[in-house]
mmCIF file of all heavy atoms in Angstrom:
data_model
loop_
_atom_site.group_PDB
_atom_site.id
_atom_site.type_symbol
_atom_site.label_atom_id
_atom_site.label_comp_id
_atom_site.label_asym_id
_atom_site.label_seq_id
_atom_site.Cartn_x
_atom_site.Cartn_y
_atom_site.Cartn_z
ATOM 1 N N GLY A 1 44.840 54.066 -151.694
ATOM 2 C CA GLY A 1 46.135 53.873 -152.331
ATOM 3 C C GLY A 1 46.014 53.936 -153.846
ATOM 4 O O GLY A 1 45.072 53.408 -154.426
ATOM 5 N N LEU A 2 46.982 54.610 -154.481
ATOM 6 C CA LEU A 2 46.984 54.749 -155.933
ATOM 7 C C LEU A 2 48.424 54.657 -156.414
ATOM 8 O O LEU A 2 49.133 55.652 -156.464
ATOM 9 C CB LEU A 2 46.361 56.085 -156.331
ATOM 10 C CG LEU A 2 46.158 56.350 -157.815
ATOM 11 C CD1 LEU A 2 45.162 55.371 -158.405
ATOM 12 C CD2 LEU A 2 45.666 57.784 -158.042
ATOM 13 N N LYS A 3 48.860 53.432 -156.716
ATOM 14 C CA LYS A 3 50.241 53.168 -157.136
ATOM 15 C C LYS A 3 51.206 53.705 -156.082
ATOM 16 O O LYS A 3 51.217 53.226 -154.962
ATOM 17 C CB LYS A 3 50.502 53.747 -158.524
ATOM 18 C CG LYS A 3 49.747 53.019 -159.625
ATOM 19 C CD LYS A 3 50.175 53.487 -160.997
ATOM 20 C CE LYS A 3 49.449 52.700 -162.084
ATOM 21 N NZ LYS A 3 49.827 53.137 -163.444
ATOM 22 N N ASP A 4 52.013 54.716 -156.423
ATOM 23 C CA ASP A 4 53.020 55.224 -155.489
ATOM 24 C C ASP A 4 52.495 56.345 -154.598
ATOM 25 O O ASP A 4 53.252 56.933 -153.827
ATOM 26 C CB ASP A 4 54.244 55.737 -156.258
ATOM 27 C CG ASP A 4 54.934 54.636 -157.030
ATOM 28 O OD1 ASP A 4 54.936 53.497 -156.543
ATOM 29 O OD2 ASP A 4 55.462 54.915 -158.118
ATOM 30 N N TYR A 5 51.204 56.653 -154.702
ATOM 31 C CA TYR A 5 50.621 57.751 -153.951
ATOM 32 C C TYR A 5 49.533 57.231 -153.013
ATOM 33 O O TYR A 5 49.025 56.114 -153.176
ATOM 34 C CB TYR A 5 49.996 58.794 -154.882
ATOM 35 C CG TYR A 5 50.935 59.342 -155.903
ATOM 36 C CD1 TYR A 5 51.106 58.713 -157.136
ATOM 37 C CD2 TYR A 5 51.659 60.500 -155.654
ATOM 38 C CE1 TYR A 5 51.976 59.214 -158.089
ATOM 39 C CE2 TYR A 5 52.531 61.009 -156.595
ATOM 40 C CZ TYR A 5 52.679 60.365 -157.812
ATOM 41 O OH TYR A 5 53.544 60.865 -158.745
ATOM 42 N N VAL A 6 49.172 58.048 -152.039
ATOM 43 C CA VAL A 6 47.963 57.796 -151.273
ATOM 44 C C VAL A 6 47.134 59.073 -151.276
ATOM 45 O O VAL A 6 47.669 60.187 -151.338
ATOM 46 C CB VAL A 6 48.256 57.352 -149.820
ATOM 47 C CG1 VAL A 6 48.979 56.010 -149.805
ATOM 48 C CG2 VAL A 6 49.025 58.400 -149.055
ATOM 49 N N ILE A 7 45.824 58.896 -151.227
ATOM 50 C CA ILE A 7 44.896 60.022 -151.132
ATOM 51 C C ILE A 7 44.250 59.971 -149.763
ATOM 52 O O ILE A 7 43.606 58.972 -149.417
ATOM 53 C CB ILE A 7 43.822 59.959 -152.225
ATOM 54 C CG1 ILE A 7 44.450 59.866 -153.613
ATOM 55 C CG2 ILE A 7 42.901 61.178 -152.136
ATOM 56 C CD1 ILE A 7 43.442 59.634 -154.729
ATOM 57 N N LEU A 8 44.443 61.013 -148.982
ATOM 58 C CA LEU A 8 43.832 61.099 -147.665
ATOM 59 C C LEU A 8 42.502 61.835 -147.810
ATOM 60 O O LEU A 8 42.475 63.018 -148.176
ATOM 61 C CB LEU A 8 44.743 61.844 -146.686
ATOM 62 C CG LEU A 8 45.921 61.063 -146.098
ATOM 63 C CD1 LEU A 8 46.970 60.757 -147.169
ATOM 64 C CD2 LEU A 8 46.581 61.843 -144.961
ATOM 65 N N HIS A 9 41.420 61.141 -147.557
ATOM 66 C CA HIS A 9 40.083 61.732 -147.617
ATOM 67 C C HIS A 9 39.707 62.179 -146.207
ATOM 68 O O HIS A 9 39.559 61.356 -145.299
ATOM 69 C CB HIS A 9 39.067 60.714 -148.124
ATOM 70 C CG HIS A 9 39.310 60.236 -149.521
ATOM 71 N ND1 HIS A 9 38.575 60.693 -150.604
ATOM 72 C CD2 HIS A 9 40.215 59.355 -150.023
ATOM 73 C CE1 HIS A 9 39.007 60.089 -151.711
ATOM 74 N NE2 HIS A 9 39.998 59.272 -151.387
ATOM 75 N N THR A 10 39.590 63.476 -146.009
ATOM 76 C CA THR A 10 39.222 64.011 -144.698
ATOM 77 C C THR A 10 37.820 64.604 -144.772
ATOM 78 O O THR A 10 37.182 64.604 -145.822
ATOM 79 C CB THR A 10 40.220 65.090 -144.233
ATOM 80 O OG1 THR A 10 39.977 66.311 -144.942
ATOM 81 C CG2 THR A 10 41.664 64.633 -144.462
ATOM 82 N N THR A 11 37.353 65.101 -143.659
ATOM 83 C CA THR A 11 36.010 65.686 -143.617
ATOM 84 C C THR A 11 35.900 66.957 -144.439
ATOM 85 O O THR A 11 34.800 67.377 -144.786
ATOM 86 C CB THR A 11 35.624 65.997 -142.166
ATOM 87 O OG1 THR A 11 36.646 66.812 -141.576
ATOM 88 C CG2 THR A 11 35.465 64.713 -141.360
ATOM 89 N N SER A 12 37.053 67.562 -144.781
ATOM 90 C CA SER A 12 36.994 68.854 -145.481
ATOM 91 C C SER A 12 37.722 68.884 -146.823
ATOM 92 O O SER A 12 37.506 69.786 -147.617
ATOM 93 C CB SER A 12 37.576 69.954 -144.586
ATOM 94 O OG SER A 12 38.929 69.665 -144.258
ATOM 95 N N ARG A 13 38.611 67.889 -147.111
ATOM 96 C CA ARG A 13 39.402 67.965 -148.331
ATOM 97 C C ARG A 13 40.045 66.624 -148.642
ATOM 98 O O ARG A 13 39.997 65.689 -147.835
ATOM 99 C CB ARG A 13 40.502 69.021 -148.188
ATOM 100 C CG ARG A 13 41.437 68.764 -147.008
ATOM 101 C CD ARG A 13 42.503 69.807 -146.858
ATOM 102 N NE ARG A 13 43.245 69.649 -145.621
ATOM 103 C CZ ARG A 13 44.354 70.303 -145.324
ATOM 104 N NH1 ARG A 13 44.843 71.172 -146.190
ATOM 105 N NH2 ARG A 13 44.978 70.109 -144.179
ATOM 106 N N LYS A 14 40.654 66.565 -149.831
ATOM 107 C CA LYS A 14 41.467 65.418 -150.217
ATOM 108 C C LYS A 14 42.918 65.880 -150.315
ATOM 109 O O LYS A 14 43.201 66.955 -150.843
ATOM 110 C CB LYS A 14 41.030 64.865 -151.573
ATOM 111 C CG LYS A 14 39.629 64.290 -151.603
ATOM 112 C CD LYS A 14 39.305 63.783 -153.010
ATOM 113 C CE LYS A 14 37.885 63.271 -153.096
ATOM 114 N NZ LYS A 14 37.558 62.798 -154.470
ATOM 115 N N ILE A 15 43.834 65.050 -149.815
ATOM 116 C CA ILE A 15 45.253 65.368 -149.851
ATOM 117 C C ILE A 15 45.977 64.225 -150.550
ATOM 118 O O ILE A 15 45.860 63.068 -150.144
ATOM 119 C CB ILE A 15 45.827 65.554 -148.433
ATOM 120 C CG1 ILE A 15 45.090 66.680 -147.702
ATOM 121 C CG2 ILE A 15 47.327 65.828 -148.491
ATOM 122 C CD1 ILE A 15 45.421 66.767 -146.224
ATOM 123 N N ILE A 16 46.714 64.543 -151.614
ATOM 124 C CA ILE A 16 47.470 63.542 -152.346
ATOM 125 C C ILE A 16 48.938 63.685 -151.986
ATOM 126 O O ILE A 16 49.502 64.775 -152.065
ATOM 127 C CB ILE A 16 47.283 63.711 -153.867
ATOM 128 C CG1 ILE A 16 45.802 63.612 -154.239
ATOM 129 C CG2 ILE A 16 48.078 62.651 -154.633
ATOM 130 C CD1 ILE A 16 45.511 63.903 -155.708
ATOM 131 N N THR A 17 49.556 62.582 -151.586
ATOM 132 C CA THR A 17 50.960 62.632 -151.188
ATOM 133 C C THR A 17 51.684 61.384 -151.675
ATOM 134 O O THR A 17 51.079 60.319 -151.826
ATOM 135 C CB THR A 17 51.093 62.762 -149.654
ATOM 136 O OG1 THR A 17 52.467 62.893 -149.297
ATOM 137 C CG2 THR A 17 50.514 61.558 -148.943
ATOM 138 N N LEU A 18 52.962 61.521 -151.917
ATOM 139 C CA LEU A 18 53.802 60.405 -152.353
ATOM 140 C C LEU A 18 54.177 59.584 -151.126
ATOM 141 O O LEU A 18 55.028 59.986 -150.332
ATOM 142 C CB LEU A 18 55.056 60.921 -153.058
ATOM 143 C CG LEU A 18 56.023 59.854 -153.583
ATOM 144 C CD1 LEU A 18 55.373 59.056 -154.694
ATOM 145 C CD2 LEU A 18 57.304 60.505 -154.091
ATOM 146 N N LEU A 19 53.528 58.427 -150.977
ATOM 147 C CA LEU A 19 53.715 57.620 -149.785
ATOM 148 C C LEU A 19 53.132 56.240 -150.051
ATOM 149 O O LEU A 19 52.178 56.098 -150.816
ATOM 150 C CB LEU A 19 52.987 58.275 -148.597
ATOM 151 C CG LEU A 19 53.418 57.919 -147.185
ATOM 152 C CD1 LEU A 19 54.869 58.326 -146.940
ATOM 153 C CD2 LEU A 19 52.516 58.609 -146.181
ATOM 154 N N SER A 20 53.697 55.216 -149.436
ATOM 155 C CA SER A 20 53.167 53.867 -149.609
ATOM 156 C C SER A 20 52.102 53.587 -148.552
ATOM 157 O O SER A 20 52.084 54.198 -147.478
ATOM 158 C CB SER A 20 54.282 52.834 -149.495
ATOM 159 O OG SER A 20 54.788 52.791 -148.175
ATOM 160 N N MET A 21 51.215 52.650 -148.855
ATOM 161 C CA MET A 21 50.184 52.267 -147.899
ATOM 162 C C MET A 21 50.812 51.676 -146.633
ATOM 163 O O MET A 21 50.360 51.937 -145.519
ATOM 164 C CB MET A 21 49.233 51.258 -148.541
ATOM 165 C CG MET A 21 48.349 51.846 -149.622
ATOM 166 S SD MET A 21 47.062 52.930 -148.965
ATOM 167 C CE MET A 21 45.861 51.716 -148.422
ATOM 168 N N SER A 22 51.853 50.870 -146.805
ATOM 169 C CA SER A 22 52.480 50.255 -145.629
ATOM 170 C C SER A 22 53.122 51.302 -144.726
ATOM 171 O O SER A 22 53.083 51.189 -143.497
ATOM 172 C CB SER A 22 53.519 49.224 -146.070
ATOM 173 O OG SER A 22 54.508 49.818 -146.886
ATOM 174 N N LYS A 23 53.714 52.332 -145.336
ATOM 175 C CA LYS A 23 54.381 53.367 -144.539
ATOM 176 C C LYS A 23 53.384 54.176 -143.729
ATOM 177 O O LYS A 23 53.608 54.461 -142.541
ATOM 178 C CB LYS A 23 55.173 54.293 -145.465
ATOM 179 C CG LYS A 23 56.062 55.279 -144.723
ATOM 180 C CD LYS A 23 57.193 54.568 -143.997
ATOM 181 C CE LYS A 23 58.142 55.553 -143.339
ATOM 182 N NZ LYS A 23 59.203 54.868 -142.583
ATOM 183 N N ILE A 24 52.267 54.541 -144.338
ATOM 184 C CA ILE A 24 51.297 55.353 -143.592
ATOM 185 C C ILE A 24 50.578 54.501 -142.554
ATOM 186 O O ILE A 24 50.180 55.001 -141.500
ATOM 187 C CB ILE A 24 50.305 56.063 -144.534
ATOM 188 C CG1 ILE A 24 49.623 57.215 -143.783
ATOM 189 C CG2 ILE A 24 49.272 55.094 -145.115
ATOM 190 C CD1 ILE A 24 48.908 58.184 -144.667
ATOM 191 N N THR A 25 50.437 53.202 -142.808
ATOM 192 C CA THR A 25 49.828 52.313 -141.820
ATOM 193 C C THR A 25 50.623 52.317 -140.528
ATOM 194 O O THR A 25 50.059 52.272 -139.424
ATOM 195 C CB THR A 25 49.729 50.882 -142.380
ATOM 196 O OG1 THR A 25 48.901 50.883 -143.544
ATOM 197 C CG2 THR A 25 49.114 49.932 -141.349
ATOM 198 N N GLU A 26 51.956 52.382 -140.649
ATOM 199 C CA GLU A 26 52.819 52.384 -139.467
ATOM 200 C C GLU A 26 52.563 53.586 -138.561
ATOM 201 O O GLU A 26 52.809 53.526 -137.354
ATOM 202 C CB GLU A 26 54.291 52.397 -139.899
ATOM 203 C CG GLU A 26 54.740 51.140 -140.626
ATOM 204 C CD GLU A 26 56.155 51.288 -141.165
ATOM 205 O OE1 GLU A 26 56.777 52.355 -140.921
ATOM 206 O OE2 GLU A 26 56.635 50.368 -141.835
ATOM 207 N N LYS A 27 52.087 54.698 -139.143
ATOM 208 C CA LYS A 27 51.906 55.941 -138.382
ATOM 209 C C LYS A 27 50.502 56.075 -137.796
ATOM 210 O O LYS A 27 50.236 57.027 -137.058
ATOM 211 C CB LYS A 27 52.190 57.139 -139.291
ATOM 212 C CG LYS A 27 53.618 57.188 -139.817
ATOM 213 C CD LYS A 27 54.623 57.313 -138.699
ATOM 214 C CE LYS A 27 56.040 57.405 -139.209
ATOM 215 N NZ LYS A 27 57.020 57.464 -138.107
ATOM 216 N N LEU A 28 49.602 55.144 -138.110
ATOM 217 C CA LEU A 28 48.226 55.254 -137.649
ATOM 218 C C LEU A 28 47.972 54.337 -136.462
ATOM 219 O O LEU A 28 48.434 53.190 -136.452
ATOM 220 C CB LEU A 28 47.263 54.884 -138.792
ATOM 221 C CG LEU A 28 47.325 55.770 -140.033
ATOM 222 C CD1 LEU A 28 46.460 55.177 -141.137
ATOM 223 C CD2 LEU A 28 46.902 57.199 -139.717
ATOM 224 N N PRO A 29 47.251 54.801 -135.454
ATOM 225 C CA PRO A 29 46.927 53.942 -134.306
ATOM 226 C C PRO A 29 46.005 52.801 -134.725
ATOM 227 O O PRO A 29 44.938 53.037 -135.296
ATOM 228 C CB PRO A 29 46.239 54.894 -133.327
ATOM 229 C CG PRO A 29 45.780 56.053 -134.156
ATOM 230 C CD PRO A 29 46.734 56.168 -135.297
ATOM 231 N N GLU A 30 46.410 51.556 -134.460
ATOM 232 C CA GLU A 30 45.670 50.404 -134.960
ATOM 233 C C GLU A 30 44.307 50.256 -134.312
ATOM 234 O O GLU A 30 43.414 49.598 -134.860
ATOM 235 C CB GLU A 30 46.485 49.128 -134.762
ATOM 236 C CG GLU A 30 46.818 48.813 -133.324
ATOM 237 C CD GLU A 30 47.666 47.561 -133.197
ATOM 238 O OE1 GLU A 30 48.247 47.114 -134.201
ATOM 239 O OE2 GLU A 30 47.747 47.025 -132.080
ATOM 240 N N GLN A 31 44.100 50.890 -133.160
ATOM 241 C CA GLN A 31 42.794 50.819 -132.525
ATOM 242 C C GLN A 31 41.785 51.767 -133.172
ATOM 243 O O GLN A 31 40.596 51.701 -132.878
ATOM 244 C CB GLN A 31 42.897 51.109 -131.017
ATOM 245 C CG GLN A 31 43.241 52.546 -130.653
ATOM 246 C CD GLN A 31 44.754 52.777 -130.615
ATOM 247 O OE1 GLN A 31 45.527 52.012 -131.190
ATOM 248 N NE2 GLN A 31 45.163 53.837 -129.925
ATOM 249 N N GLU A 32 42.268 52.630 -134.058
ATOM 250 C CA GLU A 32 41.377 53.597 -134.705
ATOM 251 C C GLU A 32 41.266 53.413 -136.217
ATOM 252 O O GLU A 32 40.306 53.884 -136.831
ATOM 253 C CB GLU A 32 41.863 55.026 -134.418
ATOM 254 C CG GLU A 32 41.848 55.394 -132.939
ATOM 255 C CD GLU A 32 42.393 56.798 -132.706
ATOM 256 O OE1 GLU A 32 42.262 57.642 -133.616
ATOM 257 O OE2 GLU A 32 42.966 57.039 -131.629
ATOM 258 N N PHE A 33 42.251 52.739 -136.828
ATOM 259 C CA PHE A 33 42.261 52.574 -138.277
ATOM 260 C C PHE A 33 42.526 51.115 -138.633
ATOM 261 O O PHE A 33 43.259 50.416 -137.932
ATOM 262 C CB PHE A 33 43.334 53.465 -138.917
ATOM 263 C CG PHE A 33 43.030 54.932 -138.822
ATOM 264 C CD1 PHE A 33 43.407 55.653 -137.691
ATOM 265 C CD2 PHE A 33 42.367 55.596 -139.839
ATOM 266 C CE1 PHE A 33 43.126 57.003 -137.587
ATOM 267 C CE2 PHE A 33 42.087 56.945 -139.741
ATOM 268 C CZ PHE A 33 42.455 57.656 -138.609
ATOM 269 N N ALA A 34 41.920 50.673 -139.727
ATOM 270 C CA ALA A 34 42.115 49.300 -140.170
ATOM 271 C C ALA A 34 42.275 49.276 -141.687
ATOM 272 O O ALA A 34 41.545 49.960 -142.417
ATOM 273 C CB ALA A 34 40.929 48.425 -139.764
ATOM 274 N N ARG A 35 43.234 48.473 -142.143
ATOM 275 C CA ARG A 35 43.373 48.258 -143.576
ATOM 276 C C ARG A 35 42.397 47.161 -143.965
ATOM 277 O O ARG A 35 42.463 46.035 -143.446
ATOM 278 C CB ARG A 35 44.802 47.863 -143.923
ATOM 279 C CG ARG A 35 45.053 47.849 -145.432
ATOM 280 C CD ARG A 35 46.529 47.795 -145.728
ATOM 281 N NE ARG A 35 46.776 47.847 -147.161
ATOM 282 C CZ ARG A 35 47.985 47.848 -147.704
ATOM 283 N NH1 ARG A 35 49.063 47.798 -146.927
ATOM 284 N NH2 ARG A 35 48.131 47.903 -149.011
ATOM 285 N N VAL A 36 41.483 47.467 -144.872
ATOM 286 C CA VAL A 36 40.425 46.523 -145.228
ATOM 287 C C VAL A 36 40.541 46.046 -146.674
ATOM 288 O O VAL A 36 39.729 45.243 -147.130
ATOM 289 C CB VAL A 36 39.034 47.157 -145.002
ATOM 290 C CG1 VAL A 36 38.823 47.485 -143.525
ATOM 291 C CG2 VAL A 36 38.857 48.414 -145.855
ATOM 292 N N HIS A 37 41.529 46.584 -147.371
ATOM 293 C CA HIS A 37 41.714 46.241 -148.783
ATOM 294 C C HIS A 37 43.133 46.636 -149.154
ATOM 295 O O HIS A 37 43.752 47.464 -148.476
ATOM 296 C CB HIS A 37 40.693 47.013 -149.636
ATOM 297 C CG HIS A 37 40.644 46.636 -151.076
ATOM 298 N ND1 HIS A 37 41.499 47.170 -152.017
ATOM 299 C CD2 HIS A 37 39.836 45.774 -151.754
ATOM 300 C CE1 HIS A 37 41.214 46.665 -153.204
ATOM 301 N NE2 HIS A 37 40.225 45.813 -153.080
ATOM 302 N N ARG A 38 43.646 46.044 -150.207
ATOM 303 C CA ARG A 38 44.987 46.423 -150.665
ATOM 304 C C ARG A 38 45.090 47.919 -150.895
ATOM 305 O O ARG A 38 46.146 48.527 -150.715
ATOM 306 C CB ARG A 38 45.298 45.669 -151.961
ATOM 307 C CG ARG A 38 46.685 45.936 -152.529
ATOM 308 C CD ARG A 38 46.904 45.139 -153.789
ATOM 309 N NE ARG A 38 45.958 45.562 -154.820
ATOM 310 C CZ ARG A 38 45.878 45.009 -156.031
ATOM 311 N NH1 ARG A 38 46.650 43.999 -156.342
ATOM 312 N NH2 ARG A 38 45.000 45.456 -156.906
ATOM 313 N N SER A 39 43.979 48.558 -151.263
ATOM 314 C CA SER A 39 43.998 49.976 -151.629
ATOM 315 C C SER A 39 43.236 50.875 -150.665
ATOM 316 O O SER A 39 43.060 52.064 -150.963
ATOM 317 C CB SER A 39 43.410 50.154 -153.037
ATOM 318 O OG SER A 39 44.133 49.410 -153.987
ATOM 319 N N PHE A 40 42.795 50.353 -149.511
ATOM 320 C CA PHE A 40 41.998 51.199 -148.617
ATOM 321 C C PHE A 40 42.327 50.940 -147.145
ATOM 322 O O PHE A 40 42.455 49.795 -146.706
ATOM 323 C CB PHE A 40 40.499 50.962 -148.825
ATOM 324 C CG PHE A 40 39.959 51.527 -150.104
ATOM 325 C CD1 PHE A 40 39.807 50.708 -151.218
ATOM 326 C CD2 PHE A 40 39.615 52.867 -150.209
ATOM 327 C CE1 PHE A 40 39.323 51.211 -152.402
ATOM 328 C CE2 PHE A 40 39.120 53.387 -151.397
ATOM 329 C CZ PHE A 40 38.979 52.561 -152.497
ATOM 330 N N ILE A 41 42.449 52.044 -146.410
ATOM 331 C CA ILE A 41 42.507 52.039 -144.950
ATOM 332 C C ILE A 41 41.332 52.889 -144.480
ATOM 333 O O ILE A 41 41.103 53.990 -145.016
ATOM 334 C CB ILE A 41 43.818 52.652 -144.428
ATOM 335 C CG1 ILE A 41 45.030 51.841 -144.914
ATOM 336 C CG2 ILE A 41 43.816 52.735 -142.912
ATOM 337 C CD1 ILE A 41 46.366 52.541 -144.664
ATOM 338 N N VAL A 42 40.582 52.407 -143.499
ATOM 339 C CA VAL A 42 39.404 53.161 -143.058
ATOM 340 C C VAL A 42 39.546 53.579 -141.603
ATOM 341 O O VAL A 42 40.225 52.917 -140.801
ATOM 342 C CB VAL A 42 38.105 52.338 -143.228
ATOM 343 C CG1 VAL A 42 37.888 51.966 -144.684
ATOM 344 C CG2 VAL A 42 38.117 51.102 -142.341
ATOM 345 N N SER A 43 38.900 54.691 -141.279
ATOM 346 C CA SER A 43 38.772 55.103 -139.881
ATOM 347 C C SER A 43 37.612 54.329 -139.279
ATOM 348 O O SER A 43 36.476 54.411 -139.760
ATOM 349 C CB SER A 43 38.505 56.605 -139.795
ATOM 350 O OG SER A 43 38.070 56.948 -138.491
ATOM 351 N N LEU A 44 37.876 53.566 -138.244
ATOM 352 C CA LEU A 44 36.822 52.756 -137.628
ATOM 353 C C LEU A 44 35.733 53.634 -137.009
ATOM 354 O O LEU A 44 34.580 53.229 -136.920
ATOM 355 C CB LEU A 44 37.444 51.846 -136.565
ATOM 356 C CG LEU A 44 38.498 50.857 -137.105
ATOM 357 C CD1 LEU A 44 39.157 50.111 -135.954
ATOM 358 C CD2 LEU A 44 37.889 49.892 -138.110
ATOM 359 N N HIS A 45 36.088 54.843 -136.613
ATOM 360 C CA HIS A 45 35.111 55.743 -135.991
ATOM 361 C C HIS A 45 34.142 56.336 -137.010
ATOM 362 O O HIS A 45 33.070 56.808 -136.633
ATOM 363 C CB HIS A 45 35.834 56.886 -135.263
ATOM 364 C CG HIS A 45 36.682 56.438 -134.117
ATOM 365 N ND1 HIS A 45 36.190 55.735 -133.048
ATOM 366 C CD2 HIS A 45 38.013 56.576 -133.882
ATOM 367 C CE1 HIS A 45 37.167 55.469 -132.197
ATOM 368 N NE2 HIS A 45 38.284 55.965 -132.682
ATOM 369 N N HIS A 46 34.524 56.329 -138.285
ATOM 370 C CA HIS A 46 33.688 56.989 -139.295
ATOM 371 C C HIS A 46 32.878 56.016 -140.136
ATOM 372 O O HIS A 46 32.226 56.430 -141.094
ATOM 373 C CB HIS A 46 34.572 57.850 -140.205
ATOM 374 C CG HIS A 46 35.040 59.122 -139.578
ATOM 375 N ND1 HIS A 46 34.201 60.197 -139.354
ATOM 376 C CD2 HIS A 46 36.247 59.493 -139.099
ATOM 377 C CE1 HIS A 46 34.882 61.177 -138.792
ATOM 378 N NE2 HIS A 46 36.127 60.780 -138.614
#
């Protein structure tokens, strides 16, 4: 998370989009992703 943006770090690239951390959390399966910091959500598999 970076103020009003989020950066999606994938295996091949970074994607910057205008989105809140809370909004993107709603779209992620909780069994696969966890918010571990105000500014970070991690993939539990990675």
Side-chain angles (χ1 to χ4, degrees):
L2 186 64
K3 291 188 177 179
D4 297 326
Y5 304 88
V6 296
I7 305 173
L8 282 69
H9 297 257
T10 76
T11 54
S12 60
R13 58 181 171 170
K14 295 180 183 179
I15 301 170
I16 302 174
T17 184
L18 181 66
L19 201 62
S20 67
M21 290 288 280
S22 58
K23 188 67 176 177
I24 198 165
T25 299
E26 294 173 2
K27 298 298 182 183
L28 298 173
E30 61 182 16
Q31 69 273 20
E32 298 178 29
F33 292 86
R35 189 166 183 178
V36 297
H37 187 275
R38 182 179 63 182
S39 301
F40 287 97
I41 298 169
V42 300
S43 166
L44 299 174
H45 296 302
H46 285 287

